[in-house]
Amino acid sequence: IADLSLISFLKIIAKITKSRTLIKYQENKELNIRLPNYRVKMGFGLHVGWAIEGAIGSEFKIDASYLSPNVNMASRLEAATKQYGVLLLISGELHKYFSVETQQKCRCIDYVTVKGSKQPVKFYTVDLDTTNFNTQKQQLVSNQAVSYTHLRAHETPEHLVCRLLLEKKKKT
């Protein structure tokens, strides 16, 4: 299941990179005059742990909020993506739950003590060349592209991922 969290964020990054709407903005001449080489960039911080969900607000507006040191860690990882120049930072705590195959696809980029933590944390990333994402719809499963043509009737791409991972587990 931990692998699926990574796959989900890789899919988000691919969708952002391949979005025709966002590509139109990148190619907008007026926007490029004001913001040369404009690109939509999003950073993601992935961590694992407990959290408390609660409603915060007033009688006029209520929002759900999640509180815990683990939520803070994910937020710090997300903020650090800019400093490290990567799209995705993964904590060592989550990394240890990945399958061996997925762990091998990750690169450790730092070992630091973050604010609010006493123990040093390993930071991992997955190296992505977003300039070479092709326009064909593909599904990433343990770093292998599986075409949508492998879908069974009425099966969503998410079901395909789960089915292939379960089939892989049955073989081992």
Side-chain angles (χ1 to χ4, degrees):
I1 291 179
D3 289 7
L4 294 177
S5 67
L6 177 60
I7 290 168
S8 296
F9 281 92
L10 293 174
K11 285 176 59 178
I12 291 168
I13 292 166
K15 291 271 188 187
I16 290 168
T17 303
K18 297 186 310 184
S19 167
R20 290 183 183 172
T21 302
L22 296 178
I23 289 170
K24 286 180 185 176
Y25 282 105
Q26 290 171 202
E27 295 170 348
N28 182 296
K29 291 177 184 175
E30 291 178 17
L31 186 58
N32 272 291
I33 291 169
R34 298 180 98 188
L35 302 167
N37 299 316
Y38 173 78
R39 296 273 186 272
V40 172
K41 293 180 185 174
M42 294 184 72
F44 300 97
L46 300 180
H47 185 61
V48 64
W50 65 270
I52 297 171
E53 177 185 23
I56 295 178
S58 68
E59 61 183 284
F60 301 106
K61 184 177 184 223
I62 297 176
D63 290 318
S65 185
Y66 300 90
L67 307 169
S68 84
N70 300 306
V71 173
N72 295 344
M73 176 62 75
S75 179
R76 287 187 177 95
L77 287 166
E78 181 273 324
T81 59
K82 295 169 193 73
Q83 295 167 339
Y84 289 96
V86 296
L87 298 173
L88 187 66
L89 275 178
I90 304 159
S91 70
E93 187 68 23
L94 178 59
H95 182 264
K96 71 182 183 184
Y97 289 107
F98 289 157
S99 67
V100 173
E101 187 177 2
T102 300
Q103 286 178 353
Q104 291 172 348
K105 304 300 180 194
C106 297
R107 176 174 58 93
C108 185
I109 59 173
D110 211 345
Y111 187 62
V112 296
T113 303
V114 293
K115 183 178 176 183
S117 177
K118 295 177 182 165
Q119 299 291 355
V121 179
K122 286 187 178 181
F123 287 179
Y124 291 86
T125 193
V126 176
D127 293 316
L128 300 170
D129 181 3
T130 58
T131 60
N132 288 329
F133 279 144
N134 63 27
T135 56
Q136 297 175 355
K137 291 183 178 179
Q138 293 185 326
Q139 179 69 36
L140 182 67
V141 179
S142 298
N143 211 39
Q144 296 173 347
V146 179
S147 150
Y148 279 145
T149 57
H150 290 98
L151 291 175
R152 293 180 179 166
H154 308 294
E155 185 177 41
T156 66
E158 290 76 17
H159 288 111
L160 170 66
V161 171
C162 293
R163 179 171 55 81
L164 292 174
L165 287 173
L166 289 172
E167 288 173 2
K168 182 179 172 183
K169 286 210 181 245
K170 287 178 185 176
K171 291 178 185 177
T172 57

Coordinates of all heavy atoms in Angstrom, one line a residue, residues 23-59:
I23 N -0.2 23.7 -20.4 CA 0.7 23.9 -21.6 C 0.3 25.2 -22.3 O 1.2 25.9 -22.7 CB 0.7 22.7 -22.5 CG1 1.4 21.5 -21.8 CG2 1.5 23.0 -23.8 CD1 1.4 20.2 -22.5
K24 N -1.0 25.4 -22.5 CA -1.4 26.7 -23.1 C -0.9 27.9 -22.4 O -0.5 28.9 -23.0 CB -2.9 26.7 -23.2 CG -3.5 25.8 -24.3 CD -5.0 25.9 -24.3 CE -5.6 24.9 -25.2 NZ -7.1 24.9 -25.2
Y25 N -0.9 27.8 -21.0 CA -0.4 29.0 -20.2 C 1.1 29.1 -20.4 O 1.7 30.2 -20.6 CB -0.7 28.8 -18.8 CG -2.1 29.1 -18.4 CD1 -3.0 28.1 -18.1 CD2 -2.5 30.5 -18.3 CE1 -4.3 28.5 -17.8 CE2 -3.8 30.8 -18.0 CZ -4.7 29.8 -17.7 OH -6.0 30.1 -17.4
Q26 N 1.8 28.0 -20.5 CA 3.3 28.0 -20.7 C 3.7 28.6 -22.0 O 4.7 29.2 -22.1 CB 3.8 26.5 -20.6 CG 3.8 25.9 -19.3 CD 4.2 24.4 -19.3 OE1 3.8 23.7 -18.4 NE2 4.8 23.9 -20.3
E27 N 2.8 28.4 -23.0 CA 3.1 28.9 -24.4 C 2.5 30.3 -24.6 O 2.7 30.9 -25.7 CB 2.5 27.9 -25.4 CG 3.2 26.6 -25.3 CD 2.5 25.5 -26.2 OE1 1.4 25.8 -26.6 OE2 3.1 24.5 -26.4
N28 N 1.8 30.9 -23.6 CA 1.2 32.2 -23.8 C 2.3 33.3 -23.8 O 3.1 33.4 -22.9 CB 0.3 32.5 -22.6 CG -0.4 33.8 -22.7 OD1 0.2 34.8 -22.7 ND2 -1.8 33.7 -22.8
K29 N 2.4 34.0 -24.9 CA 3.4 35.0 -25.1 C 3.4 36.1 -24.1 O 4.4 36.5 -23.6 CB 3.4 35.6 -26.6 CG 3.7 34.5 -27.6 CD 3.6 35.1 -29.0 CE 3.9 34.0 -30.0 NZ 3.7 34.4 -31.4
E30 N 2.2 36.6 -23.8 CA 2.1 37.7 -22.9 C 2.5 37.3 -21.5 O 3.2 38.1 -20.8 CB 0.7 38.3 -22.8 CG 0.3 39.0 -24.1 CD -1.2 39.4 -24.1 OE1 -1.8 39.5 -23.0 OE2 -1.7 39.7 -25.2
L31 N 2.2 36.1 -21.1 CA 2.6 35.6 -19.8 C 4.1 35.4 -19.7 O 4.7 35.7 -18.7 CB 1.8 34.3 -19.5 CG 2.0 33.7 -18.1 CD1 1.6 34.7 -17.0 CD2 1.2 32.4 -18.0
N32 N 4.6 34.9 -20.8 CA 6.1 34.7 -20.9 C 6.9 36.0 -20.9 O 8.1 36.0 -20.4 CB 6.5 33.8 -22.0 CG 6.4 32.3 -21.7 OD1 7.2 31.8 -20.9 ND2 5.4 31.6 -22.2
I33 N 6.3 37.0 -21.3 CA 7.0 38.3 -21.2 C 7.1 38.7 -19.7 O 8.2 39.2 -19.3 CB 6.3 39.4 -22.0 CG1 6.4 39.1 -23.5 CG2 6.8 40.8 -21.7 CD1 5.5 39.9 -24.4
R34 N 6.0 38.6 -19.0 CA 6.0 38.9 -17.6 C 6.7 37.9 -16.7 O 7.4 38.3 -15.7 CB 4.5 39.1 -17.1 CG 3.8 40.2 -17.9 CD 2.4 40.3 -17.4 NE 2.4 41.4 -16.4 CZ 1.4 41.7 -15.7 NH1 0.3 41.0 -15.7 NH2 1.4 42.7 -14.8
L35 N 6.6 36.6 -17.1 CA 7.2 35.5 -16.3 C 7.9 34.6 -17.3 O 7.4 33.6 -17.7 CB 6.1 34.8 -15.5 CG 5.3 35.5 -14.5 CD1 4.1 34.7 -14.0 CD2 6.1 36.0 -13.3
P36 N 9.1 34.9 -17.6 CA 9.9 34.1 -18.6 C 10.0 32.6 -18.2 O 10.2 32.3 -17.0 CB 11.2 34.7 -18.6 CG 11.0 36.1 -18.1 CD 9.9 36.1 -17.2
N37 N 9.8 31.7 -19.1 CA 9.8 30.3 -18.9 C 8.8 29.8 -17.8 O 9.1 29.0 -17.0 CB 11.2 29.8 -18.5 CG 12.2 30.1 -19.6 OD1 11.9 29.9 -20.8 ND2 13.3 30.7 -19.3
Y38 N 7.6 30.4 -17.8 CA 6.6 30.1 -16.8 C 6.3 28.6 -16.9 O 6.1 28.0 -17.9 CB 5.3 30.9 -17.1 CG 4.2 30.5 -16.2 CD1 4.1 30.9 -14.9 CD2 3.2 29.7 -16.7 CE1 3.0 30.5 -14.1 CE2 2.1 29.3 -15.9 CZ 2.0 29.7 -14.6 OH 1.0 29.3 -13.8
R39 N 6.2 28.0 -15.7 CA 5.8 26.6 -15.5 C 5.1 26.4 -14.2 O 5.4 27.1 -13.2 CB 7.0 25.6 -15.4 CG 7.9 25.6 -16.6 CD 7.4 24.5 -17.6 NE 8.2 24.3 -18.7 CZ 8.2 25.0 -19.9 NH1 7.3 26.0 -20.0 NH2 9.0 24.8 -20.9
V40 N 4.0 25.6 -14.2 CA 3.4 25.2 -13.0 C 4.2 24.2 -12.3 O 4.5 23.1 -12.9 CB 1.9 24.7 -13.2 CG1 1.3 24.2 -12.0 CG2 1.1 25.8 -13.8
K41 N 4.6 24.5 -11.1 CA 5.5 23.5 -10.4 C 4.8 23.3 -9.0 O 4.4 24.2 -8.3 CB 6.9 24.0 -10.1 CG 7.7 24.2 -11.4 CD 9.1 24.7 -11.1 CE 9.8 25.0 -12.3 NZ 11.1 25.6 -12.1
M42 N 4.7 22.0 -8.7 CA 4.1 21.7 -7.3 C 5.1 20.7 -6.7 O 5.6 19.8 -7.3 CB 2.8 21.0 -7.5 CG 1.7 22.0 -8.0 SD 0.1 21.2 -8.1 CE -0.3 21.2 -6.3
G43 N 5.3 21.0 -5.4 CA 6.2 20.1 -4.6 C 5.3 19.3 -3.7 O 4.3 19.7 -3.2
F44 N 5.7 18.0 -3.4 CA 5.0 17.1 -2.6 C 5.9 16.5 -1.5 O 7.0 16.1 -1.8 CB 4.3 16.0 -3.4 CG 3.4 16.5 -4.4 CD1 3.8 16.7 -5.7 CD2 2.1 16.9 -4.1 CE1 2.9 17.1 -6.7 CE2 1.2 17.3 -5.1 CZ 1.6 17.5 -6.4
G45 N 5.4 16.5 -0.3 CA 6.1 15.9 0.8 C 5.3 14.7 1.3 O 4.1 14.8 1.7
L46 N 5.9 13.5 1.3 CA 5.3 12.3 1.8 C 5.9 11.8 3.1 O 7.1 11.6 3.2 CB 5.4 11.2 0.7 CG 4.8 11.6 -0.7 CD1 5.0 10.4 -1.7 CD2 3.3 11.9 -0.6
H47 N 5.0 11.5 4.0 CA 5.4 11.0 5.3 C 4.3 10.1 5.8 O 3.2 10.1 5.2 CB 5.6 12.2 6.3 CG 6.1 11.8 7.6 ND1 7.3 11.1 7.8 CD2 5.6 11.9 8.9 CE1 7.5 10.9 9.1 NE2 6.5 11.3 9.8
V48 N 4.5 9.3 6.8 CA 3.5 8.4 7.3 C 3.4 8.6 8.9 O 4.4 8.9 9.5 CB 3.9 6.9 7.0 CG1 5.2 6.5 7.6 CG2 2.8 6.0 7.3
G49 N 2.2 8.4 9.4 CA 2.0 8.5 10.8 C 0.6 8.9 11.2 O -0.2 9.1 10.3
W50 N 0.4 9.0 12.5 CA -1.0 9.3 13.0 C -1.3 10.8 12.9 O -0.4 11.6 12.8 CB -1.1 8.8 14.4 CG -0.2 9.6 15.4 CD1 1.1 9.3 15.7 CD2 -0.5 10.8 16.0 NE1 1.6 10.2 16.5 CE2 0.7 11.2 16.8 CE3 -1.6 11.7 16.1 CZ2 0.7 12.3 17.5 CZ3 -1.5 12.8 16.9 CH2 -0.4 13.1 17.6
A51 N -2.6 11.1 12.9 CA -3.0 12.5 12.9 C -4.4 12.5 13.5 O -5.2 11.5 13.5 CB -3.1 13.0 11.5
I52 N -4.8 13.7 14.0 CA -6.1 13.9 14.6 C -6.8 14.8 13.6 O -6.3 15.9 13.3 CB -6.0 14.5 16.0 CG1 -5.3 13.5 16.9 CG2 -7.4 14.9 16.5 CD1 -5.0 14.1 18.3
E53 N -8.1 14.4 13.2 CA -8.9 15.3 12.4 C -9.9 16.0 13.2 O -10.4 15.5 14.2 CB -9.6 14.4 11.3 CG -10.5 15.3 10.4 CD -11.4 14.4 9.5 OE1 -11.6 13.2 9.8 OE2 -11.8 14.9 8.5
G54 N -10.0 17.3 12.9 CA -11.0 18.1 13.7 C -11.5 19.2 12.9 O -10.9 19.7 11.9
A55 N -12.7 19.7 13.3 CA -13.3 20.8 12.6 C -12.9 22.1 13.3 O -12.9 22.2 14.5 CB -14.9 20.7 12.7
I56 N -12.4 23.0 12.5 CA -11.9 24.3 13.0 C -12.7 25.4 12.3 O -12.9 25.4 11.1 CB -10.4 24.4 12.8 CG1 -9.7 23.4 13.6 CG2 -9.9 25.8 13.2 CD1 -8.2 23.4 13.5
G57 N -13.1 26.4 13.0 CA -13.8 27.5 12.4 C -14.8 28.1 13.3 O -14.7 28.0 14.5
S58 N -15.8 28.7 12.7 CA -16.9 29.4 13.4 C -18.2 28.8 13.0 O -18.3 27.9 12.1 CB -16.8 30.9 13.1 OG -17.2 31.1 11.8
E59 N -19.3 29.4 13.4 CA -20.6 29.0 13.0 C -20.9 29.3 11.6 O -21.8 28.7 10.9 CB -21.7 29.6 13.9 CG -21.8 31.1 13.8 CD -22.8 31.7 14.8 OE1 -24.0 31.6 14.4 OE2 -22.4 32.2 15.8

